[in-house]
Amino acid sequence: MTKPPPIRKAVLPVAGMGTRFLPATKAVPKEMLPVVDKPVVQYAVEEAREAGIEQFIFVTGRGKHIIEDHFDHAYELEALLKEREKTKELDSLLESLPKSGSVSFTRQQKPLGLGHAVWCARHFIGNEPFAVLLPDDLCVGKPGALKQMVQAYNDVGGGAVIAAEERPLSEIHRYGVIAPGKIDGNVIEVKGMVEKPKAEKAPSLLRIVGRYILPAEVFRELDRKEKGAGGEIQLTDSMQRLIGIHQFHAVKANCSWYDCGDKVGFLQANIAVGLSRPDIAPALKKVLSGAKF
Ligand code: G1P
């Protein structure tokens, strides 16, 4: 098997309005809401970096400029931390900075759907396979989901690889859902997919999670700008048309997923990340157990 081309670039769509989190998201992008002490979007960037991603393309919208600031130096703050010898805090700030020139921003000028958001990044990607990470889907686990997917991509010899997880039938209408084929461990052949099906039409209980490795040909499909579920240009529809042209797999990543676009999911993510952190886990466990002191 020839080695497939490496996955070096990732698209992070962050243009959504975050109306479910108003008033918190009136002036602050939902991707900047903290899970414990890091903005949601930073988890996705760290997961991508761990998977070997070198170029990060953010698809933003109006009012999202603080995401740009977050991934840049904050000279005054850095100088202050240095002066006060707050080395740990300074190191953590500097560690989270992407390398110069590795971050790009483009705008989705109209909210036409996820497929359209990804299409907006096409000139940054060019003609190579790339990753997409939806920061709302937060993965808690080591290694992160994208690294596990890159491993699967290399093992199967390329093509498209998406993340999937089982959800109850009552929730399945909220997601893209796959029709599974052959199963090999945690790697599942994808035979079809449908965006936000009614429960009775769902091909399985395997929902698409917001992690994708896609061939550049997906842009040709997205170019059609056909509207799908909810009147939006859906990434799922373009991916569906690649099945049969490219091999297509889903990975049930060994990690826990939290939907940070949902209030309860967001709170769960805070608890899960908190419990995974040695610095706060003991105190948090005490609180959760109902102990008063
Ligand atoms: C998007 C995708 C959907 C996927 C979901 C994962 O939906 O269209 O296929 O299951 O992300 O989070 P959205 O959350 O934008 O409605």
Side-chain angles (χ1 to χ4, degrees):
M1 202 185 325
T2 52
K3 205 167 178 276
I7 309 300
R8 305 182 308 121
K9 299 182 181 180
V11 177
L12 293 104
V14 290
M17 297 282 280
T19 48
R20 277 193 272 175
F21 278 88
L22 283 169
T25 49
K26 191 175 165 197
V28 176
K30 65 173 172 153
E31 297 78 12
M32 289 302 293
L33 296 180
V35 170
V36 184
D37 51 9
K38 260 190 240 172
V40 168
V41 66
Q42 196 174 322
Y43 289 91
V45 167
E46 287 175 5
E47 184 189 325
R49 207 194 265 160
E50 180 201 24
I53 298 297
E54 296 163 6
Q55 293 283 325
F56 303 83
I57 299 106
F58 290 85
V59 182
T60 71
R62 266 176 291 280
K64 300 277 184 170
H65 54 274
I66 68 164
I67 299 180
E68 249 175 274
D69 292 342
H70 181 73
F71 291 107
D72 195 359
H73 279 283
Y75 287 108
E76 280 178 333
L77 181 61
E78 288 165 17
L80 191 80
L81 291 174
K82 203 168 172 191
E83 193 186 299
R84 297 198 179 157
E85 293 178 6
K86 297 215 172 228
T87 324
K88 212 173 85 199
E89 287 81 356
L90 181 60
D91 287 351
S92 114
L93 273 196
L94 297 178
E95 249 169 49
S96 67
L97 266 188
K99 283 196 199 133
S100 287
S102 66
V103 185
S104 316
F105 296 85
T106 187
R107 277 196 182 197
Q108 184 187 27
Q109 291 161 321
K110 285 185 182 166
L112 298 178
L114 176 61
H116 178 258
V118 172
W119 177 82
C120 288
R122 65 201 180 284
H123 296 304
F124 292 90
I125 300 297
N127 195 24
E128 59 182 284
F130 64 103
V132 178
L133 296 97
L134 310 187
D136 273 359
D137 279 321
L138 192 143
C139 144
V140 177
K142 280 261 159 243
L146 192 63
K147 188 166 181 173
Q148 297 180 42
M149 290 164 65
V150 168
Q151 179 72 53
Y153 166 86
N154 288 327
D155 289 349
V156 298
V161 178
I162 57 179
E165 71 155 353
E166 251 147 43
R167 297 303 304 170
L169 189 61
S170 58
E171 285 180 19
I172 218 76
H173 65 278
R174 294 179 9 199
Y175 302 110
V177 182
I178 67 163
K182 264 192 279 159
I183 300 176
D184 181 6
N186 67 345
V187 180
I188 303 164
E189 184 195 358
V190 177
K191 298 198 121 172
M193 61 182 76
V194 48
E195 183 66 20
K196 301 194 171 62
K198 291 208 169 103
E200 60 274 19
K201 294 237 165 102
S204 75
L205 295 178
L206 284 167
R207 71 114 172 173
I208 300 172
V209 190
R211 298 290 185 277
Y212 310 81
I213 293 173
L214 298 170
E217 281 84 352
V218 75
F219 292 120
R220 207 181 45 214
E221 301 301 331
L222 289 168
D223 260 334
R224 299 191 194 190
K225 304 212 184 64
E226 269 171 27
K227 290 184 179 163
E232 296 190 344
I233 301 168
Q234 297 289 355
L235 183 58
T236 303
D237 297 341
S238 287
M239 292 195 299
Q240 158 74 35
R241 291 196 288 266
L242 293 179
I243 298 172
I245 302 170
H246 289 269
Q247 54 170 343
F248 215 118
H249 293 92
V251 170
K252 268 167 90 175
N254 183 16
C255 70
S256 302
W257 289 107
Y258 298 94
D259 179 1
C260 290
D262 170 78
K263 283 176 197 157
V264 175
F266 178 73
L267 293 172
Q268 280 180 314
N270 271 278
I271 294 170
V273 172
L275 290 174
S276 76
R277 288 257 306 251
D279 55 338
I280 57 172
L284 181 59
K285 269 187 201 153
K286 232 179 179 176
V287 172
L288 294 174
S289 74
K292 287 231 160 73
F293 299 104

